[in-house]
Amino acid sequence: MAVRGRGTRAGDPDAESDADPRHDGRGRYSGRLKAYGGAVRRRVRERVRERGLGAAPVLLALAVIWTVFEALNDNFLSPRNLSVLSVDIVGTGMIAVGIVFVLLIGEIDLSGGSLAGLAGAVFAALNVNLGMPEWLAVTIAVACGAAAGSAQGFLFARIGVPAFVVTLAGLLGWNGLMLYLLGPDTTINFSDDGLVAHLTSRYFSTAAATYGLAAAGTAAYLLVTYRDHRRRGAAGMPYRPVAEIWVRTALLGLVAFTTVHVLDRFEGLPLALLIFLAVVVVSDVFLRRTPYGRQVLALGGGVEAARRSGIDVARVRIGVFVASGALAAVGGLFVASRLTSASQVPGSGMLLINAIAAAVIGGTSLFGGRGSAWSALLGVLIIQSIGSGMALLDVEPSVQFMVTAGVLLTAVVLDSLARRAAESRGRV
């Protein structure tokens, strides 16, 4: 005869719970935890199969670069150097965002550096030589960049001239026009206390402003993401779990407040960095959440398929070159602001090379259809971090070029392998 424990009765559910570990409270908790862990693992595997590793390799590479340079020189992660780095990335980063638009349709724009230099020259010529107000000179300079991009896009989309040839001609032509405007001195200095100069010399130094901006940005991300979660759920579409939303918000808040804390220890939060982040956010929202942005991504997935779905291919192509030209002009103004002069430096070629490298290293595919505005931010951080770290170590520029070339080649090889893997799964 079986002996039951004291105080128990046959058929008592509590007794069965004590006897069978499957009904134990800890067992139920452990089972739910394992089930949740399995669901998370399945979701991660599905996302990797569908979208690849995303920004994870780029973030890992950036962490390695920062760790190595900090180990070699403890000034690399100092507030002063990080503040300088946060401003230095803006000019190149703006041009890289524009190049992302063009790369997303599977094309290339080689005129970004020359257009950046032309914008600085137009501004300086109008403001300094002709006495035009700065705000009007800035408007005309950006409009010139957009107009040049529109002309290049028209020749490519309507006439059928390859984008490589059109923008290569633009590289030479806009560079020549820049030199013509600069004159024999090849440099025009402007006021270091004006609108353009303040783009890179203005800082928000009060804690209320800097931490308030960090809190506002984090709260805005939470509200927008949660609203998207509810809308997708109501429409029966796949949506991001609430737990994942909170984790992403916490990580964003950690990055935002840490950045503000570090920059506040030097001069504060740079205006240039805020403008750049605003451009990246607006560009990302434009590409992911507007009909035109989705058409850009669809065109990168296949021209004929996009045409058959009713997309005006020529209009989309012209639009991305307009965006690239305008953002190149904005980037040129930030470069000029950093130098407080318009010169031939932006048209020398290195600015363009770094911008294209930043877009590709950050995760934008050279084959089109994959990438985001955040790719420009991540890529330019890697490019400028390498340059800043090697400058602190007094490494020769030739070595810096070789290291940057190696990083770029690695990114392109990984992009090619990812595309081949996607083709083998029938996704391209």
Side-chain angles (χ1 to χ4, degrees), residues 16 47-48 52 86 183 187 209 243 248 254 257-258 317 319 333-334 344 361 376 378 387 397 411:
E16 293 176 5
R47 288 176 66 90
V48 170
S86 69
T187 300
R248 285 172 172 263
L254 178 63
F257 282 96
T258 302
R317 284 174 164 174
L333 292 175
F334 275 94
Q344 58 183 342
I361 290 172
L378 295 175

Side-chain angles (χ1 to χ4, degrees), residues 314-365:
R315 182 177 66 89
V316 174
R317 284 174 164 174
I318 294 174
V320 297
F321 278 95
V322 171
S324 180
L327 287 169
V330 173
L333 292 175
F334 275 94
V335 173
S337 173
R338 198 70 169 141
L339 302 172
T340 61
S341 66
S343 67
Q344 58 183 342
V345 172
S348 63
M350 281 309 303
L351 182 62
L352 171 67
I353 292 172
N354 286 337
I356 295 176
V360 176
I361 290 172
T364 302
S365 175

Side-chain angles (χ1 to χ4, degrees), residues 108-112 152 162-172 174 321:
I108 189 68
D109 184 357
L110 301 177
S111 65
Q152 294 177 160
F164 178 88
V165 176
V166 171
T167 57
L168 179 60
L171 182 153
L172 299 173
W174 307 132
F321 278 95

